[in-house]
Amino acid sequence: MMPMMGMQPQIILLKEGTDTSQGTPQLVSNINACMALADTVRTTLGPRGMDKLIHDDKGRVTISNDGATIMKLLDVVHPAAKTLVDVSLSQDAEVGDGTTTVVILSGEFLREAKPFVEEGVHPRSIIKSYRQACNLAVSKLKELSVSLEGKGEEEKRQLLLKCAATSLNSKLVSGEREFFAQMCVDAVSCLDSSTLDLKMIGMKKVIGGGLRDSFLVDGVAFKKTFSYAGFEQQPKSFNNPKILLLNIELELKSEKENAEIRLDDPAKYQSIVDAGKPSAGCL
């Protein structure tokens, strides 16, 4: 047999420690990685859940029991486990709550499917069964759900207050959940009912004070520090003011040292020098 001219075997170099498994062993490895990640946030679930202290490579320390925050700060390398991070972030973006629950549920689904995978059941059969179970769960939830249609404004507000207080049960501010639930409902009520754009609600963090020092501003608020001389004598509030919005700066800035000005008339030199001097009327 003549050797094949110009044909060379392909050589693939893999980094040391690279997992090259495939088939059922790889599926089991993916399930184990997701279960390990779910066990990490399992203890933060519920009103008596514990907080996690996370220290990153930049020296910043974060204490939280919020599933989305913990998932975002964890340095997850395994590609299958990263899907749980994406699930948690999607839950946070779409609903705003239940981030820990969705991770734990996903891990439990995989835990229950692991014995079937090891016994050789095809993944498509497992997925089909999970979809049937999903349809049954959704139909049961619709049966237990409470519709807001036809209810009065006060009854709708009470339901929203209960939902907000329930969401705050597992947060650090759970001791003042009635106070913050009232604030959250008031903030959402200020939005346009046709769009309900949550991006129109902003939060400003101010160091110092207690939880009940927080308040809602029905309008636009800017965090501005008084740093100029004599600000103690200036008024701190105005009633029905006229506001002017400018997209230019009112301050005069000096030219750069290497700025170059060319003149075709020597008589214009003095006018340029005068323009660079600060005016006595500008304070």
Side-chain angles (χ1 to χ4, degrees):
M1 180 180 294
M2 295 179 61
M4 300 179 65
M5 302 299 295
M7 298 293 292
Q8 295 182 355
Q10 294 183 354
I11 300 177
I12 301 176
L13 299 179
L14 298 177
K15 187 169 60 175
E16 184 179 356
T18 303
D19 187 6
T20 59
S21 62
Q22 54 184 323
T24 301
Q26 183 59 46
L27 288 176
V28 174
S29 174
N30 294 341
I31 293 175
N32 292 334
C34 294
M35 289 167 49
L37 187 59
D39 292 338
T40 304
V41 297
R42 186 184 302 276
T43 55
T44 65
L45 182 66
R48 298 187 181 277
M50 296 181 291
D51 296 338
K52 297 292 184 182
L53 188 148
I54 302 175
H55 183 273
D56 59 10
D57 53 356
K58 296 182 180 179
R60 293 176 298 188
V61 177
T62 304
I63 301 176
S64 176
N65 67 348
D66 180 63
T69 303
I70 296 174
M71 286 293 182
K72 195 182 303 180
L73 294 176
L74 290 178
D75 187 12
V76 181
V77 179
H78 199 283
K82 284 184 179 180
T83 58
L84 286 186
V85 179
D86 296 336
V87 168
S88 176
L89 297 180
S90 298
Q91 177 77 7
D92 186 44
E94 293 293 330
V95 182
D97 193 30
T99 53
T100 305
T101 304
V102 73
V103 173
I104 295 178
L105 282 177
S106 301
E108 288 300 318
F109 289 154
L110 293 173
R111 189 190 303 273
E112 295 297 326
K114 181 179 177 181
F116 297 100
V117 173
E118 293 175 340
E119 291 176 3
V121 179
H122 199 278
R124 289 186 179 273
S125 301
I126 300 176
I127 294 173
K128 181 180 179 180
S129 301
Y130 273 135
R131 284 176 177 169
Q132 293 177 353
C134 178
N135 294 331
L136 293 174
V138 171
S139 61
K140 186 62 176 179
L141 288 176
K142 290 182 179 180
E143 180 183 341
L144 299 175
S145 62
V146 178
S147 176
L148 295 178
E149 296 181 359
K151 296 184 181 296
E153 293 297 328
E154 184 60 29
E155 193 171 358
K156 290 181 181 179
R157 181 178 177 83
Q158 292 301 322
L159 286 174
L160 290 176
L161 286 173
K162 291 179 181 178
C163 293
T166 302
S167 299
L168 294 173
N169 268 335
S170 59
K171 303 297 184 287
L172 294 175
V173 295
S174 59
E176 300 288 348
R177 58 179 176 274
E178 290 83 5
F179 173 76
F180 285 101
Q182 183 87 17
M183 186 182 300
C184 293
V185 174
D186 291 340
V188 174
S189 301
C190 296
L191 297 176
D192 187 359
S193 58
S194 60
T195 58
L196 290 178
D197 187 7
L198 295 180
K199 294 182 180 179
M200 299 298 294
I201 300 178
M203 290 182 290
K204 302 295 181 182
K205 300 178 183 178
V206 181
I207 300 177
L211 292 177
R212 286 197 170 262
D213 292 333
S214 306
F215 59 92
L216 173 66
V217 177
D218 186 7
V220 182
F222 298 94
K223 184 179 178 181
K224 179 66 176 178
T225 304
F226 295 100
S227 57
Y228 54 88
F231 73 91
E232 296 87 353
Q233 288 76 28
Q234 295 294 328
K236 301 299 185 299
S237 62
F238 297 91
N239 294 325
N240 299 323
K242 294 182 179 179
I243 301 176
L244 176 63
L245 300 179
L246 299 175
N247 59 354
I248 59 174
E249 296 183 6
L250 296 178
E251 299 176 356
L252 294 176
K253 292 187 177 181
S254 60
E255 295 291 338
K256 297 181 180 179
E257 296 179 357
N258 57 352
E260 181 180 353
I261 301 177
R262 296 185 180 183
L263 302 176
D264 53 4
D265 186 3
K268 297 180 181 179
Y269 176 75
Q270 187 60 38
S271 62
I272 295 177
V273 174
D274 295 337
K277 296 180 180 178
S279 175
C282 297
L283 297 178

